[in-house]
Amino acid sequence: EVELLRFEIRTSIGHLTVSGTLGSGPAYGGSKLRVELDGDNAHTLMSMFNIDVLPEDAFDLDAQIETTDSGLLLERFLLEIAGNERLELSGYLSYKPGSRDTAVDLTLNGQHLQRVLKNFIPGVEVPDLPYDLSGHIRVEADDIHLRDVRAGFADIELDMAGSISLRDHLLGTQLDFHLGGKDLSTLKMFPGLRSSLAVFVPGQSYAAAGRFYIDGTGWGLDKIKGRIGDTDIVIDGQISQQPGWSGSNVDFSIRGPDLHTFIINRNAPDLSLGAFKSNGRLELGGDTLSIRNFSFETNIASGKVNLEIGWPISSIVDADFQINLWGKDIRSLLPALGALSLIHI
């Protein structure tokens, strides 16, 4: 071993200072080094390790590493980026193609999620707010394995574990997740969710847990159990890769103590008070949308529906249906029955 008291050099990525001991040549395996580096582009630096999520900003790096013939052992790796982004790594970074056999513990946090995600998911639109991410990542030949991954953004918390496939179309991906937050309205900050969440009463907490997967027929949600406020929701389904999503299906059930505390009733002032429940199945065929074994129950009415309509829906709807309704007051059903005027039998 050769002692290095101090070694400084100006490189293409910044000012580098190295101290420590060098292992035996020619590859100097077993070298134990402290590396300090400051430069102008954190994205360029981490792209060398196949990590392409950091912005193109100035940085300071302080690391304790040991070299091997096939990679780097990271005792400490701290990268601080202008704009208050901070990346910490420990573990093993492989030199192998595709970073195969890399296994690291990662912590990433900062003030600008939008700037980070645009490097990883081009075109994504999220608010540019503080975030944090941590977890264990292991890279194999065909998969990236995730363990104890935790992410936080605003009041949104996400826990995740599983594997992301590196095969075509991500086939074989399986991710178990838990998502939750104190206020469902927070999710309206994402443009794609804004209109669909407008129906829910603001201020409700929420949670969802289950498995997301991708297989040869499409992507699916396996036994997703969720809650919005005091209302419980269960979803199980698959979205097909066929044209027009033909072959997609979703089973659902929902149960809660009061519709008025669950959804906004500005367009339905006679909405039933008290407990409610509903379940059913949606199926999408090549040119039909089917509602199978749909049922609902409130304190003033209940019903069962089987319905098949042409898809996509036009101004005049061809439909086959079977509807059974029971209730205490027909007037509570009149607004819904008015929709039948659209149906051409």
Side-chain angles (χ1 to χ4, degrees):
E1 294 183 348
V2 178
E3 183 93 14
L4 285 184
L5 298 178
R6 190 173 184 84
F7 178 78
E8 294 188 40
I9 188 173
R10 172 65 63 178
T11 74
S12 61
I13 56 175
H15 181 257
L16 174 67
T17 302
V18 179
S19 59
T21 57
L22 284 178
S24 58
Y28 300 106
S31 297
K32 297 181 179 181
L33 305 170
R34 179 174 182 183
V35 178
E36 298 171 271
L37 176 66
D38 61 86
D40 298 324
N41 194 320
H43 181 78
T44 298
L45 171 67
M46 295 311 297
S47 293
M48 297 168 59
F49 304 103
N50 293 318
I51 299 175
D52 296 321
V53 299
L54 298 182
E56 297 179 349
D57 288 334
F59 66 89
D60 286 300
L61 169 66
D62 188 355
Q64 293 282 149
I65 65 174
E66 181 177 345
T67 65
T68 72
D69 292 339
S70 58
L72 297 177
L73 292 172
L74 304 180
E75 180 180 330
R76 179 173 182 267
F77 185 100
L78 173 60
L79 180 66
E80 295 184 309
I81 306 164
N84 298 315
E85 261 67 44
R86 179 185 175 98
L87 172 66
E88 292 186 66
L89 296 174
S90 62
Y92 175 70
L93 288 178
S94 173
Y95 295 150
K96 295 179 181 179
S99 297
R100 181 166 54 91
D101 294 338
T102 287
V104 295
D105 292 306
L106 172 149
T107 300
L108 175 65
N109 54 63
Q111 303 298 311
H112 303 286
L113 180 62
Q114 170 69 24
R115 290 199 311 163
V116 171
L117 284 186
K118 73 179 181 181
N119 294 313
F120 190 58
I121 311 174
V124 68
E125 291 186 25
V126 298
D128 203 25
L129 295 176
Y131 66 92
D132 61 82
L133 172 69
S134 64
H136 179 81
I137 301 172
R138 187 177 82 253
V139 181
E140 295 187 354
D142 297 319
D143 303 276
I144 298 174
H145 295 271
L146 307 178
R147 189 181 75 232
D148 298 330
V149 173
R150 295 185 175 181
F153 175 70
D155 78 337
I156 304 166
E157 297 291 336
L158 173 66
D159 294 338
M160 189 165 53
S163 61
I164 300 174
S165 173
L166 300 176
R167 302 170 183 87
D168 289 345
H169 309 295
L170 303 180
L171 291 180
T173 292
Q174 291 190 3
L175 294 171
D176 296 314
F177 68 91
H178 180 277
L179 174 70
K182 297 178 181 178
D183 186 350
L184 186 67
S185 301
T186 302
L187 297 178
K188 291 182 181 179
M189 69 176 68
F190 300 100
L193 298 176
R194 196 167 295 151
S195 59
S196 59
L197 293 175
V199 67
F200 296 106
V201 172
Q204 299 182 86
S205 63
Y206 64 95
R211 172 170 290 185
F212 169 84
Y213 65 90
I214 301 175
D215 62 18
T217 59
W219 61 268
L221 299 172
D222 185 20
K223 297 180 176 59
I224 307 301
K225 295 183 179 180
R227 174 184 52 77
I228 298 177
D230 295 321
T231 299
D232 295 318
I233 303 169
V234 178
I235 296 176
D236 194 299
Q238 188 170 60
I239 304 302
S240 170
Q241 296 181 4
Q242 299 298 318
W245 296 346
S246 176
S248 299
N249 60 81
V250 176
D251 294 287
F252 70 91
S253 67
I254 180 170
R255 180 188 297 264
D258 192 346
L259 274 170
H260 285 266
T261 61
F262 179 53
I263 61 174
I264 297 172
N265 63 347
R266 64 171 67 95
N267 295 320
D270 296 325
L271 204 64
S272 170
L273 295 171
F276 66 97
K277 61 181 180 180
S278 178
N279 58 70
R281 178 181 177 87
L282 303 178
E283 298 177 353
L284 193 59
D287 56 3
T288 59
L289 171 64
S290 302
I291 302 175
R292 308 288 188 193
N293 301 317
F294 171 76
S295 66
F296 70 92
E297 183 177 331
T298 71
N299 66 335
I300 61 172
S302 61
K304 294 182 178 180
V305 176
N306 283 283
L307 175 66
E308 185 175 283
I309 61 178
W311 185 262
I313 297 175
S314 60
S315 59
I316 297 179
V317 180
D318 292 320
D320 293 319
F321 62 90
Q322 181 182 11
I323 300 176
N324 297 295
L325 300 173
W326 303 267
K328 298 178 180 179
D329 189 342
I330 188 65
R331 289 174 297 180
S332 66
L333 296 174
L334 287 178
L337 292 175
L340 295 179
S341 62
L342 295 176
I343 299 178
H344 174 69
I345 304 173

